[in-house]
Structures are given as C-alpha cells and as structure tokens.
Amino acid sequence: VQLQASGGGLVQPGGSLRLSCEASGRDFSTLDMGWFRQAIGKERDYVASINWGGLSTYYADSVKGRFTLSRDTAKNTWYLQMSDLKPEDTAIYYCAVKDRFERGVIYLPSGYTFWGQGTQVTVSS
C-alpha cells in the first residue's frame, strides 16, 4: 500500500485546514485508517481513526469536536478536516493504515502497517 498525505500548511490560530491521505495498491475498503501527529521533540500521538467500513470514527480528546475524519471511497482518499486550530496542533501529521483483519491497537502507532510521508501543519500568528 502506498499512502500520499497532503494539505498541510501555515494557518493562524482559529483557522482551518483539510488534510488528505490517498491510498493506492490495495482495496481501500479493507483498510482501517488512522491519523497521527508528531511535534518536534515529542512522540507520535494518536489523532483520529476510522474503521474499514467507514462506520466508526474515533478521536483523541485533544481534537474531539474540532477535527472530523471522513473518506471518499471513489477517490480512495481519507480526509481530516481540522477547525479551530491551536498552536499546540502544530506537528507533522501522518496517515497510516492496517488490514482490517490485523489486530493492531488503533490508537498506537505500532498498530499500523503502512505509513504516509507526513505533512507539516503549523498554527501560528
């Protein structure tokens, strides 16, 4: 599976961004997907995830109510809509996937098999 993350950039506090993660090389509908982020000097943290059927989404407490994870099966793409961004949201954002039958823990990086290259999000005035 190849993952291409995009959509990062510089935004002011309170602003919005939409990240995209496009998958290729694998049936989109067999994959559980997650977003993680890593700030400088910190560990990679869970942000949100969606199951292979698209019916279940989960969010870290720090982003709940501000971020929304969705997908477009026709485009093999997942989206992370981020609103009311804060300086503490600044990080490199990574998308990752695993096969739906793999028993990985969805809120841990070790639960995923394939990773995108990351896209930088900077929230600053």
Side-chain angles (χ1 to χ4, degrees), residues 33-110:
M33 184 273 182
W35 283 99
F36 289 78
R37 65 187 182 186
Q38 188 166 18
I40 295 175
K42 296 188 176 182
E43 296 184 347
R44 191 167 296 189
D45 291 332
Y46 172 78
V47 176
S49 59
I50 187 168
N51 77 328
W52 60 274
L55 297 179
S56 299
T57 52
Y58 308 92
Y59 299 92
D61 288 343
S62 58
V63 306
K64 201 171 293 182
R66 301 187 297 122
F67 290 11
T68 301
L69 178 52
S70 62
R71 69 179 195 172
D72 185 334
T73 55
K75 296 182 178 181
N76 281 5
T77 301
W78 296 273
Y79 302 99
L80 185 67
Q81 178 67 47
M82 307 185 295
S83 302
D84 190 23
L85 283 162
K86 304 175 181 181
E88 51 264 42
D89 295 317
T90 296
I92 299 174
Y93 283 69
Y94 298 91
C95 57
V97 298
K98 68 174 186 71
D99 183 273
R100 65 185 179 106
F101 294 116
E102 292 184 38
R103 300 178 71 84
V105 177
I106 61 170
Y107 54 85
L108 294 178
S110 60

